[in-house]
Amino acid sequence: MKKNTEKTNVMRLLDQKKIDYTSYCYIDSGVTSGIDVAAVLSQNPDQVFKTLVTIGSSKNHYVFMVPVNRELDLKKAAATVGEKSISMVKSKDLLALTGYVHGGCSPVGMKKQFRTVIDASAASFPSIIFSGGKIGYQVEASLEDLNSMIRFCLADITV
């Protein structure tokens, strides 16, 4: 891991709101899976979250954040947002919808603010680590600070 000298849009947005965060860069590591990212960053995979974008049967979009070592339970997630069912947004549609590419999707700075649910396990940590908005970059912030950037709720949404 190298010292991060580049600022992503997510970092600039956090700076604008004067939110304390730690940035991580793993751009030269070659890793792509969330579990590998946690390992390269020497972080607990329970504390490193992936951002998943879904579409409900109503055609509304939702964002779910789950630990990289867990999977989103689609039935629990649908029930949490009051949908009959949800499915993952196709990777090819992600950029137009959120402004982010697969592997670099952050809940902060999306083109539109979607209803966001973070797995309840996040409350076990003083901060969580999530995408910095670009492949190879992560940021760490407290839930309290994250809540000043995006509205979210906590729920049990993993398998």
Side-chain angles (χ1 to χ4, degrees):
M1 182 176 72
K2 70 179 184 179
K3 177 134 175 66
N4 182 15
T5 54
E6 181 181 343
K7 291 248 184 198
T8 66
N9 284 338
V10 169
M11 293 171 206
R12 284 189 275 283
L13 290 169
L14 293 170
D15 287 342
Q16 284 175 7
K17 292 276 189 174
K18 298 187 181 358
I19 291 177
D20 287 330
Y21 66 92
T22 303
S23 63
Y24 301 95
C25 179
Y26 60 95
I27 201 156
D28 295 329
S29 68
V31 300
T32 54
S33 83
I35 292 173
D36 291 341
V37 169
V40 164
L41 298 179
S42 300
Q43 298 294 329
N44 178 349
D46 291 329
Q47 192 177 1
V48 179
F49 282 67
K50 55 189 170 186
T51 305
L52 306 171
V53 182
T54 64
I55 187 166
S57 52
S58 69
K59 301 300 180 205
N60 287 323
H61 291 92
Y62 304 93
V63 173
F64 295 93
M65 294 177 67
V66 299
V68 295
N69 59 353
R70 307 286 304 274
E71 294 299 321
L72 179 66
D73 183 315
L74 294 175
K75 288 185 181 189
K76 286 182 184 178
T80 299
V81 295
E83 289 279 358
K84 288 183 181 181
S85 65
I86 60 167
S87 59
M88 299 301 296
V89 166
K90 292 180 177 26
S91 290
K92 68 179 178 64
D93 299 329
L94 199 59
L95 180 60
L97 181 66
T98 66
Y100 293 119
V101 297
H102 179 77
C105 191
S106 178
V108 174
M110 286 191 178
K111 286 183 174 183
K112 180 180 173 194
Q113 179 63 53
F114 299 106
R115 184 167 173 193
T116 302
V117 180
I118 300 176
D119 188 66
S121 65
S124 304
F125 301 100
S127 60
I128 62 169
I129 301 166
F130 53 93
S131 174
K134 192 173 178 182
I135 294 171
Y137 296 88
Q138 298 279 99
V139 293
E140 180 176 356
S142 71
L143 286 179
E144 182 180 331
D145 284 340
L146 184 56
N147 197 38
S148 69
M149 293 295 297
I150 60 167
R151 289 191 331 242
F152 64 83
C153 68
L154 298 175
D156 174 18
I157 53 171
T158 56
V159 176

